[in-house]
Amino acid sequence: MNSRLDVWLWMAQRATAFLLVITVTIHLGTMIYVVNDGLSAGQILAHTRGNLFWLSVYGSFVTAAAIHVPIGLRVVLMEWTSIRKDGVNMIALAFAALLAFLGWRAVLGLYA
Amino acid sequence: MTKAQVLDVSVWRGGVSGEFVAYRVPRHDNQTVLDVVTYIQRHLDPTLSYRFACRVGVCGSCAMTVNGSPKWTCRTHVERVANGHRLSLSPLRNLPVIKDLVVDMRTFFTKWRRARGYFISAGTREDAFARVRPDSAQRRQADKGIECINCAVCYAACDVVSWKPDYLGPAALNRVWTLINDARDEHRDLHLAAVASDDGCLGCHGQQACLQHCPMGLNPAAGIAGLKRTVALAALRGEL
């Protein structure tokens, strides 16, 4: 009954949750600062373009989200639908790829 | 009899399909729910099926759903659970109904086997008694979960069991936690391997319905959390 994949996914979800706590906090703090300071999109991009710090923060954010969310989706699908486990794994993997693509597209839009 | 002296009891009659049937039962001081069911069977309807043995909270065989909550009935006083003068009795959730208040417990006990919720040792009767310090950390952990009476109240209370029929459930996992902490058990690896999956300890959401309803006051959710930590450490060490 032991499933190594189950165990590693469970641990990955906990590890990425820890990372999300940090990156979401930074993200929300940044948003509040930006709104209060009335920065324009151009001013924001001036801060983020070529800035490795923001690349690493948002890169970590979207990577953690792309891992964490599909694992949660996988559990929801297993508990609430009759889809077989292999099918659920494929759906979760596809969703992870979609989140990673959209997330990194946005991050690179800020950096490049 | 006045209304205060009578209980209006709705009892599930039938199998998977059936209906609630109303009975009027005399009310007494210190009356238990099992007393109520026994009265119905002895005085009102001898065809009522239910299960009990010890009547004193040891055997774990009389559990059923009382006013929507799973409970042992031999030590549940009517006074504490009656909704005014009303009582609703139905079979335990998450287990197939055989007849009336009797459920098929096979799934529950099969999952104990699947979880390897049994002592594994190569010791023989010729060996000396194992010396286990009662104050050791491991023994204390085992002691917290050891008083389980296999009543399946936690199993009936658990939402994850109802969502995932293959989930081992709180009782089996709690049992494994006691064995993981039993210094005499020689196959910690086998116990861990049996519960390290989505259908094992990793499936627990920590909702703690098992803790809320356990008639013995045990905390299976804490044991399952312990299993999760142990499984994670074993995986990191390459032991799984």
Side-chain angles (χ1 to χ4, degrees), chain A residues 1-4 6-8 10-11 14 74-75 78-80 85, chain B residues 163-164 168 193-194 196-200 202 205 228 232 235 240:
Chain A
M1 171 159 179
N2 169 31
S3 167
R4 200 164 292 171
D6 291 350
V7 174
W8 285 105
W10 183 84
M11 291 203 292
R14 269 78 199 151
R74 176 179 175 266
V75 172
M78 280 195 297
E79 290 179 0
W80 290 85
K85 198 164 177 177
Chain B
W163 298 328
K164 281 166 79 172
L168 293 171
S197 75
D198 288 330
D199 292 333
L202 305 180
H205 284 255
K228 286 176 177 177
L240 277 175

Side-chain angles (χ1 to χ4, degrees), chain A residues 44-98:
Chain A
I44 293 167
L45 286 173
H47 279 87
T48 60
R49 288 256 154 88
N51 188 316
L52 285 173
F53 171 75
W54 289 116
L55 177 71
S56 63
V57 168
Y58 280 103
S60 304
F61 186 168
V62 298
T63 303
I67 295 168
H68 184 89
V69 176
I71 298 172
L73 175 69
R74 176 179 175 266
V75 172
V76 172
L77 291 174
M78 280 195 297
E79 290 179 0
W80 290 85
T81 72
S82 55
I83 304 169
R84 283 179 41 201
K85 198 164 177 177
D86 288 349
V88 165
N89 286 342
M90 291 309 295
I91 293 168
L93 192 62
F95 193 59
L98 177 70

Side-chain angles (χ1 to χ4, degrees), chain B residues 130-152:
Chain B
R131 290 180 173 273
V132 180
R133 286 186 60 90
D135 59 349
S136 68
Q138 268 203 318
R139 185 66 232 175
R140 284 181 175 167
Q141 284 295 337
D143 282 344
K144 285 179 186 174
I146 210 73
E147 296 291 346
C148 174
I149 57 172
N150 317 344
C151 63

